């Protein structure tokens, strides 16, 4: 089988998922021929990693030379794992240069970027895949299958609560994510995953958003109000030793190699204090979302909880489905991975009252509740990453009535909620998504069955 040629733009930590997939389980169908970043040191880190895995020596390019990369290296697909605010320009540039695109969420951080991608995809006819890996997690697929089967009738409303713990949630306030003009805030960067899931579960299109929230825990003002006193400017310093809010890059070989050792090249600090000045994103958020077919969503996000996981309830005309997930039941001052969903932690670090696990319950009117068996998923993100990567690099194993793979139209629908939510936060009003002019004013039941959308 002929190998497909890939280029990767953005060589931070997330890039490892794709480099390891290409040089590992999918090496028979894919090869990584080029890396692209503004930081030569990070490209060298991944070049060495690819070479050590027997994947050769990928060429290295600056993002300004993306079109030349695609032409000179014969790249058929570009994988985008760069910072969120760069996605729109990179995706559009890759499409115009003749490559298909696989892009990490979010598709874009604002309406201008989203519109630019939509126009480029339509104009070029190239394929855009958004890596909404949570769709592939068996627990989330089980809820989709349950709703899609009609077991609870027609969906009327949903409630979705996501809590990020004080290790993972804090991490968004150490790095570029803390700046809304670079990440879109957590309503776009993080919640685009969640809004995509709800859009997918309901098979519907969001049309109106009202959001509220603020920076109530992190940031300098909140630290002063709670009397935290003097703070170290960064985690990788002697003054920060033992501080549970700090991330010491010296203690992790990968973080040290990718960030601490590369600071002299671009000045990027990965370990800034979460109680610093200049943080412009929110740490507590809620939203009410109206859908074209009638259902409503009530959504909440907390970025400083003592445990991590989520709870989803979907109400229907014939009953109710409830999914409860604990990804990490407690956080200790030193507690392993920053993002518990990015590793398979089940069976380790369990606590008595809130052990890591998942449970799906359905109850129809006039009947007792019953638990739905969830197939065990292996690996990160609830077993979603392995399944998603196989579909990206190899293709689906067969018919997929739940339509797991997300195209740019799905990516638009997911970021539309967050972008409209940011307008709502700024202007203190409900925002019709049609105001954004994204071209997604479709009716209900999108994404329920097999898709006719070529980008999906």
């Amino acid at each position: 089988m002929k190998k497909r040629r890939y280029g990767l733009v953005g060589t931070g930590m997330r890039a490892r998922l794709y480099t390891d997939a290409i040089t590992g389980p999918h090496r028979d169908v894919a090869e990584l021929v080029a890396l692209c970043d503004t930081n030569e040191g990070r490209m060298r880190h991944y070049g060495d990693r690819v070479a050590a895995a027997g994947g050769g020596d990928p060429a290295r390019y600056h993002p300004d030379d993306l079109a030349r990369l695609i032409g000179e290296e014969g790249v058929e697909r570009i994988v985008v794992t760069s910072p969120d605010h760069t996605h729109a320009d990179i995706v559009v540039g890759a499409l115009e240069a003749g490559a298909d695109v696989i892009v990490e969420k979010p598709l874009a951080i604002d309406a201008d970027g989203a519109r630019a991608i939509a126009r480029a995809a339509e104009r070029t006819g190239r394929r855009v895949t958004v890596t909404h890996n949570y769709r592939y997690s068996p627990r989330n697929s089980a809820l989709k299958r349950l709703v899609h089967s009609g077991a609870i009738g027609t969906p009327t409303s949903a409630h979705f609560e996501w809590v990020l713990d004080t290790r993972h949630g804090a991490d968004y306030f150490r790095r570029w994510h803390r700046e809304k003009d670079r990440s879109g805030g957590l309503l776009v960067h993080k919640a685009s995953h969640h809004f995509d899931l709800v859009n997918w579960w309901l098979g519907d299109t969001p049309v109106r958003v009202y959001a509220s929230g603020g920076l109530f825990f992190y940031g300098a003002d909140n630290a002063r109000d709670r009397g935290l006193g003097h703070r170290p400017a960064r985690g990788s310093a002697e003054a920060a030793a033992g501080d549970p809010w700090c991330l010491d890059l010296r203690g992790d070989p990968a973080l040290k190699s990718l960030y601490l050792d590369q600071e002299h090249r671009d000045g990027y600090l990965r370990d800034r204090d979460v109680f610093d000045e200049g943080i412009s994103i929110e740490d507590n958020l809620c939203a009410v979302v109206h859908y074209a077919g009638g259902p409503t969503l009530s959504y909440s996000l907390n970025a400083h909880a003592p445990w991590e996981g989520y709870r989803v309830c979907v109400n229907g005309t014939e009953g109710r489905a409830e999914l409860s997930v604990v990804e990490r039941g407690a956080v200790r001052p030193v507690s392993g991975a920053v993002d518990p969903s990015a590793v398979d932690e089940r069976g380790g670090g369990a606590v008595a009252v809130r052990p890591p696990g998942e449970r799906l319950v359905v109850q129809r009117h006039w009947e007792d509740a019953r638990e739905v068996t969830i197939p065990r998923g292996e690996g990160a993100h609830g077993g979603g990453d392995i399944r998603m990567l196989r579909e990206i690099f190899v293709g689906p194993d067969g018919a997929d009535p739940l339509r797991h793979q997300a195209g740019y139209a799905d990516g638009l629908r997911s970021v539309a909620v967050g972008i409209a939510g940011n307008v709502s936060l700024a202007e203190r009003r409900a925002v019709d998504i049609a105001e954004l002019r994204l071209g997604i004013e479709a009716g209900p039941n999108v994404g329920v069955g097999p898709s006719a959308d070529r980008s999906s």
Side-chain angles (χ1 to χ4, degrees):
M1 183 180 296
K2 179 179 179 292
K3 292 185 178 183
R4 184 170 276 151
R5 296 173 68 82
Y6 286 82
L8 185 142
V9 183
T11 51
M13 277 297 291
R14 188 60 178 167
R16 179 185 293 188
L17 178 72
Y18 299 95
T19 60
D20 288 2
I22 292 172
T23 59
H26 304 300
R27 64 189 307 157
D28 57 332
V29 295
E31 60 179 329
L32 183 62
V33 299
L35 299 168
C36 184
D37 202 302
T38 58
N39 190 297
E40 175 64 30
R42 282 195 284 274
M43 284 195 288
R44 184 177 300 119
H45 171 98
Y46 277 106
D48 292 345
R49 188 176 182 88
V50 170
D57 183 18
R60 301 169 193 169
Y61 290 79
H62 189 277
D64 291 345
D65 299 320
L66 179 60
R68 185 164 64 85
L69 176 160
I70 292 170
E72 291 180 350
E73 306 300 332
V75 166
E76 300 162 83
R77 283 182 169 180
I78 287 289
V79 178
V80 182
T81 59
S82 57
D84 298 356
H85 71 284
T86 67
H87 286 188
D89 286 346
I90 292 170
V91 172
V92 171
L95 294 174
E96 298 285 7
D100 292 335
V101 176
I102 298 157
V103 57
E104 279 286 303
K105 60 82 189 162
L107 181 66
I109 67 168
D110 55 30
D112 288 342
R115 284 192 295 266
I117 291 172
R119 288 193 298 266
E122 292 294 338
R123 184 169 58 250
T124 64
R126 308 300 312 185
R127 188 184 184 104
V128 179
T129 301
V130 185
T131 57
H132 281 301
N133 51 356
Y134 264 111
R135 288 188 177 198
Y136 296 84
S137 171
R139 60 201 182 210
N140 296 325
S141 293
L143 178 56
K144 170 68 174 177
R145 190 172 295 108
L146 188 68
V147 174
H148 182 46
S149 73
I152 61 170
T154 301
T156 59
S157 65
H159 172 71
F160 195 152
E161 177 191 23
W162 195 290
V163 291
L164 293 163
D165 65 32
T166 48
R167 186 165 174 82
H168 184 194
D171 204 43
Y172 294 109
F173 297 83
R174 297 187 179 107
R175 41 189 172 144
W176 55 263
H177 304 73
R178 60 160 53 185
E179 301 168 26
K180 185 167 278 195
D181 61 353
R182 301 184 73 192
S183 68
L186 293 180
L187 266 184
V188 171
H189 173 79
K190 186 64 180 175
S192 61
H193 259 327
H194 313 154
F195 298 138
D196 175 71
L197 282 174
V198 177
N199 297 346
W200 183 60
W201 284 326
L202 297 181
D204 212 335
T205 301
V207 295
R208 185 179 302 110
V209 181
Y210 179 80
S212 63
L215 183 65
F216 300 136
F217 185 80
Y218 301 107
D221 289 344
N222 295 313
R224 282 190 288 267
D225 288 345
R226 295 200 300 277
L228 293 188
H230 176 73
R231 300 284 312 156
R234 58 183 308 183
S236 305
E238 296 303 326
D243 188 325
W245 295 107
C246 292
L247 174 65
D248 190 344
L249 300 174
R250 298 170 299 179
D252 186 300
L255 292 175
K256 181 178 183 296
S257 175
L258 285 170
Y259 301 110
L260 190 63
D261 294 347
Q262 310 309 328
E263 291 174 3
H264 67 284
R265 299 179 187 276
D266 57 15
Y268 172 50
L269 304 181
R270 173 66 178 79
D271 59 347
R272 297 170 70 181
D273 182 37
V274 299
F275 299 108
D276 204 353
E277 303 281 359
I279 295 174
S280 57
I281 67 172
E282 301 81 15
D283 53 27
N284 281 257
L285 289 156
C286 60
V288 176
V289 184
H290 293 259
Y291 281 81
T296 57
L297 163 68
S298 59
Y299 172 81
S300 66
L301 173 67
N302 178 304
H304 55 88
W307 67 281
E308 180 144 337
Y310 58 101
R311 292 172 174 151
V312 182
C313 304
V314 182
N315 299 302
T317 55
E318 298 178 25
R320 173 181 170 98
E322 302 171 355
L323 174 64
S324 300
V325 177
V326 176
E327 292 185 334
R328 181 158 53 198
V331 182
R332 314 301 181 197
V334 178
S335 57
V338 169
D339 179 358
S341 66
V343 294
D344 190 355
E345 286 194 342
R346 287 166 301 178
V351 293
V353 176
R354 203 190 302 276
E358 54 202 19
R359 190 180 190 210
L360 177 59
V361 174
V362 61
Q363 186 167 10
R364 291 174 53 81
H365 293 160
W366 328 120
E367 297 179 7
D368 291 340
R370 64 179 176 87
E371 186 168 352
V372 177
T373 300
I374 300 173
R376 180 176 174 86
E378 300 296 332
H381 292 100
D385 281 355
I386 291 175
R387 287 175 163 84
M388 179 192 73
L389 291 168
R390 176 171 177 79
E391 187 161 296
I392 285 174
F393 292 112
V394 179
D397 290 330
D400 183 14
L402 300 184
R403 201 173 67 82
H404 285 86
Q405 193 169 111
Y408 85 84
D410 301 298
L412 285 175
R413 293 184 187 103
S414 67
V415 297
V417 180
I419 294 169
N422 280 332
V423 176
S424 180
L425 287 169
E427 300 182 5
R428 299 186 178 184
R429 65 178 179 89
V431 176
D432 288 334
I433 289 178
E435 296 177 31
L436 304 177
R437 296 180 289 109
L438 300 179
I440 61 170
E441 292 74 39
N445 301 321
V446 294
V448 174
S451 173
D453 179 357
R454 68 166 181 276
S455 66
S456 299

